[in-house]
Amino acid sequence: MTSDAVRAALAHVVDPEIRRPITELDMVRAVTVDGSRATVDLRLTIIGCPAAETIERDIRAAVLTVPGIDELDLVVGVMTVPEREALVARLRGTRTTQFGPDTLTKIYAVTSGKGGVGKSTLTANLAVALAATGLKVGLIDADVFGFSIPGILGIVGEKPTKVGDLMMPPVAHGVSVISIGMFVDGSTAVSWRGPLLHRTIQQFLTDVWFGDLDVLLLDLPPGTGDVAISIGQLLPHAEVLVVTTPQPAAADVAERSGLVARQTGQTVIGVIENMTGELFGSGGGDAVAARLDVPVLARIPLSVGLREGGDTGTPVVFADPSDPAAVAILSLAATLAARTRDLAGRKLPISPR
Ligand code: ADP
């Protein structure tokens, strides 16, 4: 009876990387109770699992809330190879169509005409803001020229954990993040050729285990190069957000990015104007939106907090939600979250024959 209660408590402990209860992941080998002392036999997925400390702490906290239990003996081991293979097969089974055409995950590719317009900063903050609304959010940093996402989210140097041939992405502020920067030293990816980039992105979409995401964001490189085309081919059902600054020159190149996305079958859903204010001229967002026939979904003001948050790895939407840029990004997140929930709640159209 009490060991059932301990198991029930353990069902609330979630593996921070796989984001499933440890009981569902076959990580709890055995639970025994002797008087007021519980013994839990835990099997980690891999040796040196970076999440081990968190899991052990959470187990301790959960088990000691069970009435009648005031001592915990936690035996920590590692899965055998066949156990791990069985787990990987099971996880794969739930995600073979992870981001296929009939996925329920909303996929937003964020593009811009040129670099330096704030695309990565906004994408990272938008991801954190969406996660804060309770959605499960993944972020793929495919910006070969920058891969600045790990820096903006404060996870520089973190790498995915390998479980069999699956990769568990690091989680930052509730967002599962994978970046080309996690696979290269320095900035060598800039010189990667199209086929290697294509394979890498394909691998991100198949071998990185994101779990059941509500939203996947992709930070694309600026412009209309190989990565944009690969994403267009691999995810033709993705929706595209175009980031521009207010200057007319920026607007021209931003429009081109939107048009290329459209050629691959993707739908441009709106424009985000960044660094809105007197300083940089005006009208860029409206101009791109008018030419692409989509709305301006947000105007993000210049903000020291947004920039500093990116430099220090603490996104402003998290550190200072009252900052005007954070307010604008949170409001954009609410708009997107509403569309996302609509879709998730909708029955698939099935027409009787
Ligand atoms: P991109 O991804 O388009 O190349 P980044 O996101 O790297 O651009 O942003 C370029 C620089 O501009 C960064 O230093 C970032 O902190 C800063 N930045 C972006 N948006 C704003 C803003 N609204 N206010 C102030 N600084 C910003």
Side-chain angles (χ1 to χ4, degrees), residues 98-163:
Q98 157 161 267
F99 303 120
D102 50 1
T103 181
L104 286 177
T105 304
K106 269 283 187 190
I107 305 173
Y108 297 114
V110 186
T111 185
S112 66
K114 57 179 191 128
V117 300
K119 172 182 52 61
S120 301
T121 306
L122 295 185
T123 306
N125 275 274
L126 181 59
V128 173
L130 282 165
T133 71
L135 295 174
K136 285 203 171 163
V137 182
L139 171 53
I140 293 180
D141 176 10
D143 185 349
V144 275
F145 304 109
F147 40 85
S148 49
I149 294 285
I152 298 168
L153 292 177
I155 51 166
V156 171
E158 284 193 35
K159 302 238 186 268
T161 308
K162 282 207 123 195
V163 177

Side-chain angles (χ1 to χ4, degrees), residues 111-112 114-124 143 145-146 148-149 152 219-220 222 243 245 273-276 280 300-311 323 325 329:
T111 185
S112 66
K114 57 179 191 128
V117 300
K119 172 182 52 61
S120 301
T121 306
L122 295 185
T123 306
D143 185 349
F145 304 109
S148 49
I149 294 285
I152 298 168
D219 183 18
L220 300 197
V243 179
T245 50
E273 187 180 79
N274 188 29
M275 309 193 192
T276 301
F280 289 118
I300 320 293
L302 270 171
S303 151
V304 174
L306 182 64
R307 181 174 54 73
E308 285 180 352
D311 292 343
D323 175 284
I329 296 167

Side-chain angles (χ1 to χ4, degrees), residues 222-305:
T224 53
D226 289 337
V227 174
I229 290 164
S230 285
I231 301 270
Q233 287 169 349
L234 293 165
L235 299 169
H237 47 294
E239 297 182 307
V240 176
L241 298 164
V242 179
V243 179
T244 186
T245 50
Q247 301 100 309
D252 287 342
V253 285
E255 179 196 2
R256 214 169 306 140
S257 296
L259 290 175
V260 165
R262 205 168 261 172
Q263 279 162 15
T264 66
Q266 295 174 330
T267 310
V268 180
I269 61 160
V271 171
I272 305 171
E273 187 180 79
N274 188 29
M275 309 193 192
T276 301
E278 295 307 309
L279 214 52
F280 289 118
S282 64
D286 288 320
V288 182
R291 285 185 238 152
L292 293 172
D293 195 20
V294 294
V296 176
L297 292 174
R299 296 178 204 273
I300 320 293
L302 270 171
S303 151
V304 174

